[in-house]
Amino acid sequence: MTRELLLNPGSHGLGMTHASLRPDATATSVCGYCSTGCGLRIHLRDGQAVGLTPETDYPVNLGMACPKGWESLRVLESADRATHPLLRNAEGELEPVSWDRALTEFCERFKAIQAAHGADSVAFLSTGQIACEEMALLGVLAKFGMGLKHGDGNTRQCMATAVTAYKESFGFDAPPFTYEDFEQSDCLVFIGANPCIGHPIMWERVLRNQHAPEVIVVDPRSTETAMAATQHLQLRPKSDLVLLYAITRQLIESGYVDHDFVAAHTTGFRELTQHVDSYTPEYAAARTGLSAEKILRAAESIGQAKAASLWWTMGVNQSYEGVRTAQAIINIALITGNIGRPGTGANSITGQCNAMGSRLWSGTTNLFGHHDYADPEHREKIAAVLDIDPGKIPDENGWSYDRIVEGIRCGKIRGLWVIATNPAHSWIHQGDARELLDKLDFLVVQDMYATTETARQADLILPAAGWGEKEGTFINSERRYGVHRRVRVAPGEALADFQIFRAIGAYWGVGEMLTEWTDPEAGFRIMQRASRGQPCDITGIENYAHLDRCGGIQWPWSEADAETKSQGTQPGESMGQYHTPRPHRRLFGNGEFFTPDRRARLIVAEPRGMPELPDADFPMLMLTGRGSVSQWHTQTRTSKSPILRELYPNEPYVELHPDDASRYAIRNGEWVEVSSRRGRAEARALVSPTVRVGQVFMAMHYEETNRLTLSHFDPYSRQPSYKNCAVRLRSIKQ
């Protein structure tokens, strides 16, 4: 039997499936969890998915997948799927209704609110979890058809800081890197990032690095990534901007500046030099809790590297001064010339599977195709692309997520449409958010599941198909468009979001505006026209089949690119079955940026104090972040998989240092109460030196965590600062 038990990567069941159950076809689909954008091989029988394995040659994951990817099909089979429209009746119960009744109710009630309180009194909150084409159609329908000026996405919670930093520094929201850079750096710096848990396939790419790289982790917690680092700078929470300025100063003083690059391709170096002059190693040591020697060693490692890359995620983005911290990272890459070359870059790792798509196509903070609402030429261009009256396009941005929430508080927002997100769990200061949702005159939730915390508060639930039950494109962290395929039938009467938006358009009376939006690939062609001439130009992509054939394509890929560069593989660029313009492409290799003068901006600011410091009443500082590789966001999907539930703690937990456990007489594994000025939560104690004395950590995935968090925001990006608030602990008996 040895021969029969051999495992075959890429084969259904790894080659152990009985012949009677084997698939008769396969299709490649991009994973729908995180922004890595792994290629999954879907095994089909009679046109329906019967299993999946990682694509062995896909240029992103190279045959690897994390537990969430392996379980992507299983979570579609949950018993609590939303299968029919549900409308709250006079007794306050949700009851099934027809799609006709649901769509009529949707339109009549939202229109009534607008008639009574103005067109701007209805808003929408979208997501980074649906396809680009669905985001694009939603923005067109809501903003230009329904007249909803105010709409934002849950990507405000994860990526707004990186977007703002890139736009100000580079002139466009342009992550410059490719995943190959993980393998080509000889110095990798991770700031507020734990890819070992948050993006495990990216971490696998780091482990493939053959250059014995220096791995520097800047994090107040001893994360899994920090434990694998060559240098862990375990600084005080929210002192990272001071640290980065001190490293910048040391790079300048030690002669590690690429002056030719700085002179030719940046502005603001003199101001940067003056600004960081006072950030001596000794000053930074006192502020960060690190030794001056550790700071100097980190600066030397970056300065001496042939190719240094700097990476960040939510530890930077979810901060009250996240934009300036991200720009301090960008500054270091720029002044050392670590941009546009293999193994370099100031690289923001995206969170959700299509957060990048939301940034370009959702029509929330940017006009369709990352244009500017305030620019009349942009409005004219997009009106022509969409064949609509330019007067239907607003001339200013709508409100950000937090302003929409405040709009509910003050009565300016009376109706809300929530698509594929769960703010009653995920929004900062959760108790306040739930109270505000109850104030709405009409709350509509469009989701795969009828049991999310937000769906339970809804007046109307629209059942949506999930990943695997519809098609479209996602854009991953390295700017790669990939296709996800329809390989299952959605349960009951659930519809793809794309078709729900089309139906709402018809019932609202603007169906003619959406005539060309017949299917997702038709929407993609509209998007291509809108992208023409933009830094994110994709006019050179032929169709979905082209994306499949290439293993995804990174933007930009314009018609000019397609005409001047071979569509086949170049020497040394073969990716197995995939044939691509180039498997991996990075930006700014020519030193030209997207600003008017083509120079990058070096931007600085004075660090600000933490809004809520520990005190006598709340003496501990709470940190938050990802818990395990098998959990995802609010666990709406991952909790539906029995296998994934076996791989992570099913109860909330709080990490605390052994000294604090001794001080408060708390034993490992017992229940404790964690309280802040906003609420209380119960969690099991995990006594561990992963956090420092005076700090605790709670994973973001549990409903209890955001009962405690403080509503404060970066002033430039309006992104919430989830990762610091004052709490207290006490032992309780269950």
Side-chain angles (χ1 to χ4, degrees):
M1 292 181 62
T2 304
R3 189 179 302 108
E4 296 176 18
L5 293 175
L6 285 174
L7 300 183
N8 298 297
S11 299
H12 182 242
L14 298 180
M16 296 189 293
T17 304
H18 189 271
S20 64
L21 300 175
R22 285 175 189 161
D24 53 37
T26 62
T28 300
S29 190
V30 175
C31 184
Y33 276 106
C34 82
S35 67
T36 305
C38 294
L40 301 177
R41 183 177 301 173
I42 312 297
H43 300 271
L44 305 169
R45 190 175 182 87
D46 298 326
Q48 296 294 301
V50 294
L52 61 79
T53 50
E55 270 290 4
T56 52
D57 291 325
Y58 200 75
V60 168
N61 51 311
L62 307 176
M64 301 175 284
C66 79
K68 298 186 295 294
W70 278 102
E71 284 292 281
S72 292
L73 291 171
R74 176 63 181 85
V75 302
L76 300 175
E77 301 164 2
S78 174
D80 64 344
R81 286 291 302 272
T83 57
H84 297 81
L86 301 173
L87 180 65
R88 199 169 296 279
N89 60 26
E91 288 73 41
E93 300 295 324
L94 287 167
E95 63 179 8
V97 295
S98 67
W99 269 107
D100 176 70
R101 174 75 188 283
L103 294 169
T104 300
E105 198 79 17
F106 178 101
C107 295
E108 288 183 351
R109 293 188 64 175
F110 275 151
K111 284 185 175 182
I113 291 171
Q114 289 181 311
H117 304 285
D120 296 347
S121 61
V122 175
F124 68 91
L125 293 174
S126 182
T127 179
Q129 296 289 138
I130 61 177
C132 294
E133 296 80 0
E134 292 173 327
M135 293 173 177
L137 178 55
L138 170 62
V140 170
L141 167 65
K143 293 253 180 173
F144 313 149
M146 298 169 63
L148 308 189
K149 179 180 177 182
H150 304 310
D152 203 359
N154 62 17
T155 45
R156 176 75 60 179
Q157 296 164 272
C158 61
M159 299 316 303
T161 283
V163 172
T164 305
Y166 278 143
K167 287 173 73 172
E168 290 183 358
S169 295
F170 294 161
F172 196 81
D173 176 20
F177 63 96
T178 172
Y179 294 158
E180 251 191 5
D181 294 320
F182 285 122
E183 301 177 34
Q184 297 185 354
S185 295
D186 56 350
C187 178
L188 299 101
V189 186
F190 294 98
I191 306 103
N194 186 15
C196 185
I197 290 299
H199 298 84
I201 304 307
M202 295 190 198
W203 183 245
E204 290 281 356
R205 299 293 297 262
V206 175
L207 297 180
R208 290 171 180 245
N209 190 308
Q210 299 297 307
H211 302 291
E214 198 74 15
V215 178
I216 303 171
V217 171
V218 178
D219 202 301
R221 181 169 164 258
S222 252
T223 65
E224 292 79 358
T225 307
M227 293 174 192
T230 57
Q231 300 178 45
H232 178 200
L233 278 60
Q234 193 172 6
L235 74 177
R236 291 188 184 122
K238 300 308 165 196
S239 63
D240 38 3
L241 188 54
V242 172
L243 171 64
L244 293 167
Y245 284 158
I247 289 174
T248 303
R249 179 188 184 278
Q250 192 61 34
L251 290 169
I252 295 170
E253 186 172 283
S254 298
Y256 293 126
V257 173
D258 185 338
H259 288 284
D260 290 341
F261 182 89
V262 168
H265 303 295
T266 72
T267 62
F269 182 68
R270 178 181 297 177
E271 293 79 3
L272 170 69
T273 302
Q274 293 172 345
H275 181 83
V276 301
D277 186 57
S278 61
Y279 290 84
T280 63
E282 294 73 24
Y283 172 80
R287 295 284 298 275
T288 63
L290 300 168
S291 68
E293 290 72 25
K294 281 194 171 185
I295 297 170
L296 290 170
R297 182 187 171 196
E300 287 290 314
S301 297
I302 296 168
Q304 292 179 357
K306 295 177 181 177
S309 58
L310 300 102
W311 310 82
W312 80 89
T313 59
M314 299 310 118
V316 170
N317 288 346
Q318 292 177 339
S319 168
Y320 57 89
E321 56 182 10
V323 170
R324 296 301 180 242
T325 303
Q327 287 167 334
I329 298 169
I330 293 169
N331 294 344
I332 290 173
L334 289 171
I335 67 170
T336 56
N338 279 298
I339 198 86
R341 296 185 290 108
T344 67
N347 305 327
S348 162
I349 301 174
T350 318
Q352 299 179 71
C353 59
N354 203 25
M356 175 65 70
S358 178
R359 291 148 73 166
L360 296 181
W361 295 113
S362 68
T364 51
T365 55
N366 298 295
L367 178 57
F368 192 72
H370 216 295
H371 292 84
D372 186 353
Y373 280 105
D375 189 324
E377 292 186 5
H378 285 194
R379 296 197 301 273
E380 290 283 347
K381 173 187 173 181
I382 296 305
V385 167
L386 299 174
D387 192 22
I388 63 174
D389 179 356
K392 292 184 177 295
I393 301 179
D395 60 5
E396 61 181 353
N397 284 336
W399 286 348
S400 57
Y401 200 131
D402 61 302
R403 289 197 66 192
I404 290 172
V405 171
E406 289 305 306
I408 301 172
R409 190 189 311 280
C410 67
K412 292 184 178 180
I413 300 294
R414 310 295 289 263
L416 187 65
W417 181 16
V418 177
I419 302 105
T421 188
N422 189 14
H425 178 139
S426 63
W427 190 243
I428 203 162
H429 189 182
Q430 179 192 102
D432 181 58
R434 293 183 178 184
E435 289 178 11
L436 292 176
L437 291 175
D438 279 338
K439 286 185 61 176
L440 290 162
D441 295 345
F442 193 49
L443 172 62
V444 178
V445 172
Q446 185 170 317
D447 207 292
M448 290 173 60
Y449 300 98
T451 53
T452 70
E453 289 85 352
T454 310
R456 292 174 205 158
Q457 294 186 249
D459 300 298
L460 174 65
I461 297 176
L462 303 179
W467 174 93
E469 299 166 347
K470 56 183 182 176
E471 70 174 4
T473 59
F474 294 149
I475 311 173
N476 75 353
S477 281
E478 60 171 357
R479 313 179 317 281
R480 184 182 301 272
Y481 279 83
V483 181
H484 65 89
R485 293 296 185 183
R486 183 176 183 268
V487 293
R488 284 275 178 92
V489 176
E493 297 180 5
L495 297 174
D497 293 283
F498 192 91
Q499 301 305 333
I500 295 174
F501 299 146
R502 278 174 46 84
I504 289 171
Y507 274 71
W508 195 275
V510 294
E512 288 187 4
M513 178 183 290
L514 309 179
T515 301
E516 193 180 349
W517 298 80
T518 54
D519 58 75
E521 192 158 8
F524 185 78
R525 290 192 290 270
I526 299 169
M527 291 158 48
Q528 287 182 288
R529 296 202 305 264
S531 76
R532 188 181 303 277
Q534 286 287 90
C536 56
D537 193 322
I538 52 170
T539 53
I541 298 174
E542 297 166 18
N543 47 33
Y544 281 3
H546 188 198
L547 291 173
D548 270 343
R549 189 167 69 249
C550 294
I553 295 175
Q554 291 174 281
W555 66 256
W557 191 250
S558 66
E559 287 177 333
D561 291 324
E563 290 172 2
T564 59
K565 298 172 184 175
S566 170
Q567 289 298 299
T569 53
Q570 302 296 319
E573 294 182 333
S574 174
M575 291 300 301
Q577 65 176 304
Y578 294 106
H579 301 284
T580 175
R582 288 197 306 276
H584 303 282
R585 292 180 293 121
R586 53 190 59 82
L587 301 179
F588 311 132
N590 60 0
E592 292 190 359
F593 297 87
F594 300 118
T595 54
D597 61 3
R598 315 301 283 176
R599 291 169 173 265
R601 308 288 189 253
L602 300 167
I603 300 172
V604 293
E606 287 297 328
R608 298 187 294 126
M610 196 180 296
E612 184 179 77
L613 291 167
D615 58 19
D617 294 326
F618 297 92
M620 309 284 285
L621 186 69
M622 186 178 85
L623 315 174
T624 68
R626 294 199 185 279
S628 78
V629 72
S630 300
Q631 291 168 291
W632 180 250
H633 287 195
T634 65
Q635 302 187 102
T636 300
R637 284 183 290 167
T638 51
S639 66
K640 307 303 189 291
S641 163
I643 290 177
L644 294 180
R645 287 200 306 271
E646 289 292 323
L647 298 177
Y648 65 76
N650 282 243
E651 298 169 327
Y653 61 93
V654 57
E655 294 180 18
L656 71 157
H657 193 275
D659 291 355
D660 288 320
S662 177
R663 179 178 300 108
Y664 296 111
I666 293 171
R667 289 187 173 186
N668 187 62
E670 75 177 19
W671 286 93
V672 298
E673 180 185 87
V674 189
S675 303
S676 75
R677 290 179 173 86
R678 291 152 295 283
R680 57 178 295 276
E682 294 181 2
R684 286 201 182 273
L686 175 57
V687 180
S688 169
T690 52
V691 291
R692 285 188 159 176
V693 173
Q695 300 169 17
V696 299
F697 170 85
M698 291 188 71
M700 59 175 277
H701 313 290
Y702 302 98
E703 180 268 338
E704 290 81 359
T705 302
N706 277 328
R707 296 178 193 172
L708 310 172
T709 47
L710 171 68
S711 293
H712 60 125
F713 306 87
D714 182 280
Y716 307 103
S717 67
R718 303 308 304 167
Q719 182 158 346
S721 182
Y722 283 97
K723 299 190 176 296
N724 56 282
C725 71
V727 298
R728 63 185 173 215
L729 300 181
R730 73 175 182 89
S731 177
I732 57 174
K733 304 298 180 184
Q734 288 285 337

